[in-house]
Amino acid sequence: MRPKKFFLHRPQGLDEAIRLKTEHGDAATFHAGGTELLVALKAHVLRYEHVIDLKQIAALKGVRLRDDGTISIGSLTSHDAIANDPIVRERLPGYAELSEHVANIRVRIAGTLGGVLCFAEPHADAPTLLCALDAWMVLRGPNGEREVPSRDFHVGEFMTARDDDEVLTSIEIAPQSAGTRSAYRSFGHTERPAVGVAAVWSTDNPQRLSLWAGAISASPVCLARTEDAAAALPADLPSADTWARLQRAVAADAQAIEAHDDLHGGADYKRHLVSVLAERAIKACLP
C-alpha cells in the first residue's frame, strides 16, 4: 500500500523547520529516520499533507562531549553511528552495545535516536536505558528551548511530552563517574523487545542502582523496590545472601507492573522476563 500524496519540505536549518510546522499546523509532521513514520503513512494509519524532512539539518547530527563531561547526542544521529562513536564506546559502552543490537541493520543505519523516542512505540530499546541513565531531552519550538527528563518524556503509548510544534534537538547524558557502569538486557521473539531491562550501578559512596524495565508497559517503569534494596546492601558485592535479597525485590517489582497479553507474550511471562533480565543486567554492571 502506498501513502497518500504529500508535499516534502527539506529545510536547511532548525528555525526554518519550526517555521514550516507553524505555517502548516496539524497538516504537517516532522520526519527524522522514517523507519516508523513511513510505515504508518503507507498503512494509512497516519496522514499528513506536508512532511518536514529534518535530515538536512547538520546541527541535529553527531555526538559531542561538552566541557563538563556531558555527552550530547544529536536527535538525528542513527543507531549505527551511536554504536560506533568513539565517545559513546569509551564513556558509555553499555549504550553502544544497546545500539549495536537495535532491530536490524537497515533500521540501525536509517533509524535515528530522536525518531524512535518521538514516535514512542512502547517496544523500543533506547528509552529504558536513557531513563536509567537519568538522561534528559532538549526540545525547541516557536516558544524557545526547554528540557524534559527522560523518565517524564514518554507519557503513554505513542505519546510524549513533546509539543507537536517542537523538535527534539538532542539527548543529554550527564558525566558518569569512574565507579559507574551500565548495561541493558532484552529478549523478544521479533525484532522488537518483548521486555528490556536497563541497570546503572554506581559503586561510589553512597552506592546506587538505577533499574528500569521497558517494553512491558506503555512507558519505562522504575523498579524502585530493587533500587532501595541495593542501596542498603553491603559494598562487598556479590554474595548469595545479596542476590537473594535483590531477587526478592525484583520479583516484587515485576509483579507490580501492569502488563497485558499481546503478540510479544503473556503478562505473567513478561513479568518473569523482567526478573531474569534484571539479574543479568545488574551482574553485567559488576566488575
Side-chain angles (χ1 to χ4, degrees), residues 68-71 92 133-136 172-177:
D68 65 352
T70 296
I71 297 174
L92 289 173
L133 287 166
D134 292 325
W136 64 95
E172 308 285 317
I173 303 172
Q176 306 294 299
S177 69

Side-chain angles (χ1 to χ4, degrees), residues 13 31 40 43 49 56 69 86 99 109 118 143-144 147 151-152 170 172 181-182 187 197 199 205 210 226 239:
H31 172 259
E49 296 175 14
Q56 306 301 313
S99 297
I109 291 176
C118 290
N143 297 318
E147 298 178 351
R151 57 190 59 191
D152 298 329
S170 68
E172 308 285 317
R181 299 182 66 179
S182 58
F187 181 80
V197 176
N205 189 17
S210 180
T226 311
S239 69

Side-chain angles (χ1 to χ4, degrees), residues 86-250:
I87 295 173
V88 178
R89 295 191 73 86
E90 176 187 354
R91 296 174 178 258
L92 289 173
Y95 195 87
E97 182 181 6
L98 179 154
S99 297
E100 285 178 340
H101 295 93
V102 168
N104 57 56
I105 187 60
R106 183 189 70 82
V107 171
R108 289 194 292 275
I109 291 176
T112 62
L113 178 55
V116 73
L117 292 175
C118 290
F119 199 76
E121 210 283 352
H123 290 274
D125 298 291
T128 310
L129 184 49
L130 291 175
C131 284
L133 287 166
D134 292 325
W136 64 95
M137 317 299 174
V138 179
L139 301 163
R140 184 172 160 191
N143 297 318
E145 190 173 273
R146 66 189 180 104
E147 298 178 351
V148 178
S150 57
R151 57 190 59 191
D152 298 329
F153 188 70
H154 291 98
V155 297
E157 291 190 11
F158 305 102
M159 298 172 61
T160 73
R162 181 185 71 89
D163 291 336
D164 192 51
D165 57 359
E166 289 182 314
V167 174
L168 171 61
T169 60
S170 68
I171 297 88
E172 308 285 317
I173 303 172
Q176 306 294 299
S177 69
T180 300
R181 299 182 66 179
S182 58
Y184 175 77
R185 295 293 182 267
S186 66
F187 181 80
H189 302 288
T190 68
E191 291 181 341
R192 297 183 183 275
V195 171
V197 176
V200 178
W201 183 277
S202 174
T203 57
D204 298 333
N205 189 17
Q207 68 182 9
R208 176 178 179 265
L209 171 66
S210 180
L211 191 67
W212 287 71
I216 190 171
S217 56
S219 57
V221 179
C222 177
L223 304 184
R225 294 178 180 83
T226 311
E227 291 184 350
D228 292 341
L233 292 174
D236 55 340
L237 294 172
S239 69
D241 180 62
T242 291
W243 285 118
R245 292 163 67 181
L246 284 178
Q247 287 171 337
R248 288 193 295 268
V250 169

